[in-house]
Amino acid sequence: MRNIYCLLWLIFLFSCNQKKKGKEIEEQNVIEIVTEDEKKSSDSIIPKEEAIVKDEDLKPAFKEIVTSIKTKTLPQIENTSFDSFIEEEDYEDVNTVLFQLENIYPNFNKDGYNYRGIAKYKLALSDRFHSIVITVKKGDNEMESVLINYTDEGEIIDHEVVSYDEIAEGMSQIRSRISENMLTVNHVFWSDLISIEQITHSIDQNGEIKKVKAKKLNQSIKDFSLVNSVLMDLKLDWVQTKTSLIRSQENPLNREESIVVIPRIVDEGEHYFELSSYIVLLNSKTGEITHKYHEVKAEGWGSDAVILDDAKIDIEAYSISETRNALGIRLHYTGSSQVNPYENENLSLFIKSGSTLKKVLHNFDVVNFGGEWVNECAGETVREEKTIIINEEKSNDYFDLVIKNKISIETSSFKIKNGEENGDCDTIVTNSVETSKLKFNGTLYKQEDTDVGVSVLQLMLLTKDQAIKHYGNPKLRERFKLNDAHGEFRNGVSSKFSQEERQNESILIDELTWEKDPNTWVTTWYLTNKGDERPLEVLEWEKGTEF
């Protein structure tokens, strides 16, 4: 019995030992497996410091890639379409992760959408941010280009679609003009008739793109269909033009003809633009262009500190010969300064010559206005308005053009009483007319090359003492009392004074007359003993005139 108990005890001890060893083996195995997983896992974990270094490494990578991208010039016409990608080499790989395209197109990497970046270029809009235009193909039937502004670190500041094309229905497109601080986007729609919505955006110094205004060109442009036909013939897109200056007009001398002016943008930026414009004649019924003139950039269609704010088709008939009538184009400019106001309008004339238009008068000033003001009642302005009269005399088969220039000088100052300004404003207006002549030299009309002698405009700006010093002693000289200023000849002087002053015998006037040419006198009137003041009035008149 005792032996049986011993045997059972031995069996129990043996079984416990086996379980312990099995548990240790199992624990060892488990530990071994866990240790292996941890080892593998630990290989994929990047220490925090190392992760920061790698993030920093991405910054120079973005800058380096951006630097290597081809830069295109401004203003850039963006009209990328399926026609831009004919051969396989037209496509390029775009790093969609680096340029964060998924932030713009959430479906970019999703199955079934088949988005693909296929082209890119850079624009130098600012040194504060990077501007990239990336073209994305959206499936098989759509593609668009998007302007994206990035920070130096490659973060997206803002973006805007600048071109779009589709080949499924072909009913719409987007085309743009990208400039230094401006984005002009045309949304084109085709149905029975073409319609264009033009949206203007500003691009601010921080790279943000903001909508400024929108307009329907097919509603705001006069004779839209006619102008659209001209653009197609000239192979120009609407987005290439300065739409605010497009003009059209029935030819007043031939109702079967229309005149169209198309200003094409050559350069533009903040507060300036330069244009290369087309002046065309076309058959109003067929739309066929019969004559055209291309006004190149150097010929003066531009705007900077002085703003080109209007263009006009002159409907006056300029019959420069028995068989030729010239059509006129006027450009109007204004200044933005209140201290130094400015206005100018110039005229160019064109005649038919074969299938072209030939310019015969270039940017001739017909209105000039300028001045300088210290305050609301201390300053001076000079205004010239010129009228063109066809003369019977000819030069190189074309009639001479007589120019009548009406000159008005307005001077304002505070009235002086007891040696001090009394707050009242005293304004003196001096008017005169000056005559000159333009002659055709075989190419253009030019100012007659003669010595004009005494200048009315210059006399109006000179004091009595300065005028005598400049032109010498006058041919005629007279002094009279203001109350003796009778007759048409001296009416201009009398009108400068009040009724009470006209009765004042103490006011003396000096009348000085110079000879301008063999046929013309110029007379000026000054207050006696006021040699430091400008004339009260200046009059140019023909010798022998009876007043």
Side-chain angles (χ1 to χ4, degrees):
M1 187 67 159
R2 184 178 180 180
N3 290 335
I4 293 174
Y5 281 116
C6 289
L7 179 62
L8 290 173
W9 176 251
L10 289 172
I11 292 172
F12 174 78
L13 290 176
F14 178 79
S15 63
C16 288
N17 188 49
Q18 288 294 105
K19 287 181 179 180
K20 183 178 179 181
K21 287 183 178 180
K23 185 177 181 180
E24 289 177 356
I25 291 172
E26 184 180 356
E27 289 177 352
Q28 288 175 0
N29 289 338
V30 170
I31 292 171
E32 183 178 354
I33 293 172
V34 171
T35 302
E36 187 65 26
D37 287 344
E38 289 178 347
K39 182 177 184 300
K40 290 179 181 179
S41 177
S42 64
D43 289 341
S44 64
I45 297 174
I46 302 172
K48 185 176 181 181
E49 294 78 7
E50 186 179 349
I52 294 174
V53 172
K54 290 196 174 184
D55 284 344
E56 290 296 327
D57 289 342
L58 290 177
K59 296 179 182 179
F62 178 82
K63 291 182 181 179
E64 183 178 345
I65 291 175
V66 168
T67 303
S68 66
I69 298 174
K70 179 182 178 181
T71 301
K72 292 191 177 183
T73 58
L74 296 172
Q76 180 62 35
I77 302 300
E78 173 50 51
N79 55 2
T80 303
S81 67
F82 278 93
D83 292 337
S84 307
F85 300 89
I86 305 300
E87 306 295 336
E88 185 60 32
E89 53 266 27
D90 294 332
Y91 294 80
E92 64 173 297
D93 291 329
V94 176
N95 189 330
T96 58
V97 175
L98 181 71
F99 292 112
Q100 302 183 50
L101 294 187
E102 194 170 9
N103 289 345
I104 299 173
Y105 303 98
N107 297 324
F108 198 96
N109 294 314
K110 292 182 180 180
D111 292 339
Y113 286 91
N114 196 25
Y115 281 20
R116 175 187 174 191
I118 58 175
K120 64 182 182 296
Y121 62 86
K122 181 173 60 175
L123 295 171
L125 300 186
S126 174
D127 56 4
R128 297 187 178 188
F129 52 88
H130 305 279
S131 300
I132 314 295
V133 176
I134 297 176
T135 301
V136 175
K137 189 176 180 185
K138 302 165 66 176
D140 295 329
N141 299 323
E142 294 180 281
M143 72 167 52
E144 65 184 34
S145 296
V146 58
L147 169 66
I148 314 172
N149 290 335
Y150 295 92
T151 66
D152 285 340
E153 292 74 24
E155 297 298 324
I156 294 176
I157 300 172
D158 211 341
H159 68 278
E160 186 67 38
V161 173
V162 290
S163 70
Y164 172 83
D165 191 27
E166 51 98 2
I167 57 176
E169 298 179 352
M171 300 294 289
S172 64
Q173 277 190 330
I174 295 176
R175 300 161 185 166
S176 299
R177 183 178 72 250
I178 310 170
S179 303
E180 182 179 343
N181 68 322
M182 185 187 304
L183 172 62
T184 305
V185 183
N186 281 3
H187 294 257
V188 186
F189 306 94
W190 287 275
S191 53
D192 294 335
L193 297 173
I194 183 175
S195 65
I196 302 175
E197 182 182 25
Q198 185 172 90
I199 302 176
T200 304
H201 305 263
S202 65
I203 304 174
D204 67 20
Q205 295 181 350
N206 298 320
E208 294 183 357
I209 303 171
K210 300 176 181 178
K211 181 178 177 179
V212 177
K213 61 182 178 179
K215 62 180 177 178
K216 297 276 190 180
L217 297 185
N218 48 297
Q219 296 175 0
S220 62
I221 300 294
K222 179 186 175 185
D223 300 324
F224 175 81
S225 296
L226 186 68
V227 174
N228 188 61
S229 173
V230 172
L231 287 172
M232 292 175 64
D233 286 345
L234 296 176
K235 295 180 171 54
L236 292 175
D237 192 280
W238 281 95
V239 80
Q240 294 175 270
T241 67
K242 188 72 173 176
T243 55
S244 62
L245 294 176
I246 290 177
R247 298 291 181 266
S248 63
Q249 174 74 46
E250 181 185 85
N251 188 347
L253 302 175
N254 184 351
R255 294 195 173 185
E256 294 184 354
E257 285 184 334
S258 293
I259 307 164
V260 177
V261 178
I262 305 289
R264 177 177 175 268
I265 293 176
V266 176
D267 193 11
E268 70 175 344
E270 189 170 11
H271 307 307
Y272 82 92
F273 59 80
E274 293 179 348
L275 305 175
S276 172
S277 299
Y278 294 86
I279 297 101
V280 303
L281 281 178
L282 65 154
N283 186 299
S284 300
K285 294 181 179 179
T286 65
E288 178 186 0
I289 294 177
T290 57
H291 303 79
K292 71 178 178 180
Y293 180 86
H294 185 200
E295 187 104 27
V296 298
K297 172 182 172 182
E299 294 189 73
W301 287 56
S303 183
D304 43 39
V306 178
I307 303 165
L308 173 57
D309 58 7
D310 196 10
K312 302 175 185 176
I313 298 173
D314 198 331
I315 60 173
E316 291 292 329
Y318 296 95
S319 300
I320 62 173
S321 77
E322 292 85 351
T323 59
R324 288 187 179 275
N325 293 308
L327 67 90
I329 303 295
R330 292 175 178 250
L331 301 180
H332 186 267
Y333 295 83
T334 55
S336 56
S337 172
Q338 293 183 342
V339 176
N340 299 106
Y342 177 83
E343 180 188 4
N344 173 269
E345 184 170 292
N346 64 57
L347 170 69
S348 295
L349 295 179
F350 303 84
I351 59 172
K352 293 180 180 178
S353 179
S355 61
T356 65
L357 291 174
K358 177 184 176 182
K359 179 184 279 190
V360 293
L361 179 65
H362 174 64
N363 291 0
F364 178 72
D365 291 339
V366 290
V367 175
N368 263 323
F369 174 78
E372 183 175 359
W373 290 87
V374 178
N375 54 48
E376 70 277 5
C377 189
E380 180 179 79
T381 58
V382 179
R383 185 175 187 85
E384 298 179 73
E385 294 185 359
K386 299 176 184 177
T387 303
I388 297 178
I389 302 169
I390 307 298
N391 192 264
E392 293 181 355
E393 297 179 0
K394 285 187 175 182
S395 301
N396 294 298
D397 298 326
Y398 291 150
F399 294 126
D400 296 343
L401 305 179
V402 175
I403 309 301
K404 291 289 186 181
N405 185 13
K406 295 181 179 179
I407 305 166
S408 178
I409 297 180
E410 180 179 314
T411 304
S412 295
S413 60
F414 288 107
K415 290 182 178 180
I416 304 297
K417 187 175 183 179
N418 298 325
E420 296 182 356
E421 295 179 355
N422 65 4
D424 294 331
C425 191
D426 187 19
T427 300
I428 298 176
V429 179
T430 306
N431 298 309
S432 66
V433 177
E434 197 170 71
T435 303
S436 61
K437 188 179 289 186
L438 300 178
K439 292 187 175 185
F440 188 68
N441 64 8
T443 303
L444 289 169
Y445 275 98
K446 292 289 186 180
Q447 190 83 31
E448 185 178 19
D449 189 18
T450 59
D451 183 7
V452 297
V454 177
S455 167
V456 172
L457 179 59
Q458 191 171 41
L459 271 176
M460 294 175 73
L461 299 174
L462 297 176
T463 66
K464 180 173 63 177
D465 295 343
Q466 290 171 336
I468 294 173
K469 183 177 180 180
H470 186 80
Y471 291 113
N473 290 322
K475 292 284 185 178
L476 303 171
R477 186 166 188 165
E478 183 178 348
R479 177 174 294 178
F480 59 89
K481 296 177 181 179
L482 180 61
N483 66 338
D484 291 333
H486 305 302
E488 182 183 352
F489 183 61
R490 292 171 176 169
N491 277 347
V493 180
S494 300
S495 65
K496 306 297 181 184
F497 297 88
S498 67
Q499 185 65 37
E500 181 181 351
E501 289 173 325
R502 291 175 197 171
Q503 307 302 319
N504 191 337
E505 295 185 0
S506 65
I507 298 178
L508 300 178
I509 306 294
D510 282 343
E511 182 179 277
L512 281 62
T513 301
W514 282 272
E515 185 180 51
K516 178 178 179 180
D517 56 50
N519 301 310
T520 311
W521 294 113
V522 177
T523 300
T524 59
W525 289 270
Y526 304 88
L527 283 169
T528 302
N529 301 324
K530 294 288 184 178
D532 59 345
E533 290 188 0
R534 294 176 182 175
L536 298 168
E537 183 76 359
V538 179
L539 176 67
E540 180 180 305
W541 51 288
E542 291 185 9
K543 292 182 178 180
T545 302
E546 294 184 4
F547 293 93

